Amino acid sequence: MKRRTGLIFDLDGTLIDSRGDLTTAVNLMRKSYGLPPLPVDRVVAFVGNGIGSLVRRAVTDAPDLAEAEAIDRMKQFYLQHLLDQTCLYPGVKAGLTAFRAADIPLAVFTNKPEDATRTILAGLGVGELFSAIVGSGGKFPLKPAPDGLLHIVRALQIEPAASWMFGDHYTDLEAGRRAGLRRCLARYGFGEPRMEQFDAAVDSFADFQTLVLAAN
């Protein structure tokens, strides 16, 4: 028998505030090419569609750069600074622990490279709370494609219509819609919903915890 409810989370802007370390990595990559640094708010505006998109947007003032090399440099710099400033949003660890105590399976579906994702979650002390982690660099396309999300649904044996995709960006909401899950927008994050619709929106992780547990 399938477990009724599962929770799948985006990472950046939903579980973690990674703005500082992403900006550090982008600017170290730019510095390696002799380019000036970008402010945090501009870098953050580039986040959400994978590292390739982030790098392309971050070097539009240097169109002659070899894209593959720039992406590789960005990856290396980011791996060196994953946990300098990155932290869980308030209430995340307590909320995840409460979900597990309620026997609700948890997963992460992110466009961040999967190796970096696992390192960050382990370093912040929550990696073991997740039954599945799917990031980029594997066999699934990036969000908003729903393939990785559908894989998680099958792996966790959850019912899509009773489960949630929780994220701060339109890619999360679209992937959730295409996979048949309910969608909750993390308004506290740094993504943008654009034209995507959602079933609920919250201003804190604690609010999402209350929403889920009240109905479970």
Side-chain angles (χ1 to χ4, degrees):
M1 179 178 295
K2 288 189 175 182
R3 303 177 73 166
R4 178 168 172 78
T5 299
L7 305 177
I8 298 98
F9 301 92
D10 172 49
L11 186 64
D12 299 88
T14 303
L15 296 178
I16 64 170
D17 184 348
S18 53
R19 291 173 291 182
D21 291 337
L22 286 168
T23 301
T24 294
V26 165
N27 284 332
L28 286 172
M29 180 269 293
R30 285 179 57 84
K31 182 178 180 180
S32 74
Y33 288 111
L35 301 172
L38 299 175
V40 172
D41 58 348
R42 188 170 177 194
V43 173
V44 168
F46 300 153
V47 175
N49 297 83
I51 194 167
S53 178
L54 170 59
V55 171
R56 284 190 293 274
R57 294 169 177 174
V59 295
T60 54
D61 52 344
D64 295 331
L65 292 185
E67 181 179 304
E69 180 186 70
I71 292 172
D72 185 64
R73 290 190 188 190
M74 170 67 187
K75 287 180 178 178
Q76 293 306 311
F77 284 126
Y78 189 47
L79 286 173
Q80 295 167 17
H81 297 277
L82 287 176
L83 291 164
D84 290 359
Q85 301 177 62
T86 293
C87 60
L88 297 171
Y89 280 106
V92 168
K93 189 168 187 177
L96 294 174
T97 302
F99 291 141
R100 286 303 301 265
D103 201 29
I104 300 174
L106 311 177
V108 171
F109 181 36
T110 175
N111 284 345
K112 186 187 289 294
E114 191 167 311
D115 55 349
T117 297
R118 292 181 180 277
T119 298
I120 290 170
L121 292 172
L124 295 176
V126 295
E128 293 184 353
L129 296 174
F130 297 98
S131 301
I133 297 172
V134 173
S136 66
K139 59 183 179 180
F140 302 109
L142 298 179
K143 295 178 290 186
D147 306 54
L149 191 50
L150 291 169
H151 166 76
I152 291 171
V153 167
R154 291 190 295 268
L156 270 56
Q157 296 187 318
I158 57 177
E159 182 181 338
S163 299
W164 289 92
M165 177 69 215
F166 183 36
D168 68 319
H169 202 47
Y170 77 92
T171 55
D172 309 311
L173 302 174
E174 181 177 339
R177 171 174 58 80
R178 293 169 66 184
L181 275 74
R182 292 181 291 183
R183 287 93 62 210
C184 184
L185 174 67
R187 284 192 293 227
Y188 57 83
F190 45 83
E192 54 182 8
R194 295 192 183 177
M195 300 300 293
E196 278 295 323
Q197 300 298 306
F198 40 87
D199 301 284
V202 296
D203 294 313
S204 70
F205 198 90
D207 287 343
F208 181 66
Q209 177 184 341
T210 298
L211 171 71
V212 172
L213 294 182
N216 193 55

